[in-house]
């Protein structure tokens, strides 16, 4: 990870030296600059799993053990109908803060752009049966603020 | 290190943040963990937007959704929490709440298992 200052760079160099010393003394591993993580084979979801037939065991066999869980309560019935359907959710993630860019000043706030790679897969279950999925990813940047 | 006096506090804070992140010793957090255990206190079609705000707090963001062509537009409240540990691995907990005509109308939440409390309500059906 490279860290660059906007002016002079003396304090940045000092920070880098302190970090190196601190990391060595504390025995901490440096944060990764860029790594790739395992993520479920999405292309196989539609070919291997069958909505209403595949079981939780089938999903685990294909995608592995989920990182977490959740729940969805979906309104159903159109304009006039009133009803809701609940579904359990298994949560698969691949989220990593891979580094940060040069800090900049915005008024009284220092903004530190962070590079974050994020992939999320939600698998829905109607009782014991696979009932669909939702997947999304981002290639955007988060920011940290120092006031 | 020479630092201008009026910028010293800012630079000190920035320095600490950078040190924490790059040394792999820090944990970065943003947002507030969504209170999904309180969803059971809301009744779809009956609870109001005020009830949602009272139980879940002010959302971090807002949006809208139309689930199907036949469905009306619904407002969406976004609640999220992210935590990145020393290795750079991040954990996410997110809650979307649907609002229709000032009434609670459903939700979607998911979370990394490590961010869940044992009493998390609203189903989930762990493996």
């Amino acid at each position: 990870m490279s860290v660059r200052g906007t002016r002079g760079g003396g304090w940045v160099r000092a920070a880098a030296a302190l970090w190196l010393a601190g990391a060595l003394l504390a025995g901490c591993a440096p944060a990764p600059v860029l790594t790739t993580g395992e993520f479920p084979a999405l292309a196989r979801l539609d070919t291997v799993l069958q909505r209403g037939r595949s079981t939780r065991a089938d999903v685990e066999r294909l995608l592995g053990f989920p990182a977490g869980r959740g729940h969805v309560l979906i309104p159903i019935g159109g304009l006039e109908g009133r009803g809701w359907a609940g579904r359990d959710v298994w949560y698969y993630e691949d989220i990593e803060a891979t580094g940060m860019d040069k800090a900049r000043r915005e008024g009284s706030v220092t903004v530190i752009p962070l590079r974050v790679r994020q992939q999320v897969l939600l698998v829905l279950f109607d009782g014991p049966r696979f009932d669909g999925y939702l997947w999304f990813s981002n290639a955007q940047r988060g920011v940290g603020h120092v006031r | 290190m020479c630092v201008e006096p009026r910028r010293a506090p800012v630079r000190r804070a920035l320095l600490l943040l950078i040190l924490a992140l790059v040394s792999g010793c820090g944990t970065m957090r943003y947002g507030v963990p969504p209170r999904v255990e309180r969803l059971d206190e809301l009744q779809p079609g009956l609870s109001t937007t005020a009830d949602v705000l009272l139980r879940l707090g002010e959302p971090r963001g807002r949006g809208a959704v139309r689930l199907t062509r036949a469905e009306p537009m619904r407002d969406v409240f976004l609640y999220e929490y992210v935590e990145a540990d020393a290795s750079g691995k991040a954990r996410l907990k997110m809650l979307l709440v649907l609002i229709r005509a000032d009434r609670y109308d459903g939700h979607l939440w998911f979370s990394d298992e490590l961010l869940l409390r044992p009493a998390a309500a609203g189903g989930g059906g762990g493996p």
Side-chain angles (χ1 to χ4, degrees), chain B residues 40-86:
Chain B
D40 284 347
E41 300 173 20
L42 299 172
Q43 291 184 283
L46 296 175
S47 299
T48 64
T49 302
D51 294 329
V52 171
L53 295 174
L54 184 65
R55 283 159 179 80
L56 303 179
E58 191 67 26
R60 184 174 177 81
R62 294 168 190 256
V65 62
R66 187 187 294 278
L67 296 171
T68 67
R69 184 177 295 182
E71 293 281 334
M73 190 74 82
R74 290 173 171 84
D75 293 326
V76 174
F77 286 0
L78 165 68
Y79 300 84
E80 69 172 337
Y81 174 72
V82 178
E83 187 179 279
D85 65 19

Side-chain angles (χ1 to χ4, degrees), chain A residues 3-18 103 110, chain B residues 1-3 10-16 18:
Chain A
V3 180
R4 292 175 293 180
T6 53
R7 289 192 305 171
W11 68 273
V12 175
R13 282 194 294 273
L18 279 172
T110 299
Chain B
M1 179 167 52
C2 179
V3 179
V10 172
R11 289 191 173 181
R12 199 157 34 238
L14 184 58
L15 181 65
L16 289 172
I18 291 173

Side-chain angles (χ1 to χ4, degrees), chain A residues 1 7 11 15 19 28-29 32 56 67-73 78-79 82 84 88 90-91 93 95 97 105 112 114, chain B residues 1 4 10 14-15 17 22-23 25 28 44 70-71 87-90 100 105-107 109 111-113 122 124-125:
Chain A
M1 176 183 297
R7 289 192 305 171
W11 68 273
W19 159 65
C28 297
R56 294 181 186 232
R69 58 193 165 92
H71 187 256
V72 60
L73 187 67
L79 282 169
R82 303 300 293 151
W84 291 265
D88 289 339
W90 280 9
Y91 169 52
E93 66 184 357
I95 305 172
R105 297 285 298 177
I112 306 171
L114 300 175
Chain B
M1 179 167 52
E4 300 167 46
V10 172
L14 184 58
L15 181 65
L17 179 61
V22 300
S23 68
C25 297
M28 185 194 74
E71 293 281 334
S87 68
K89 176 77 168 63
R100 177 190 173 189
D105 202 42
H107 65 254
W109 72 263
S111 173
D112 188 291
E113 197 66 36

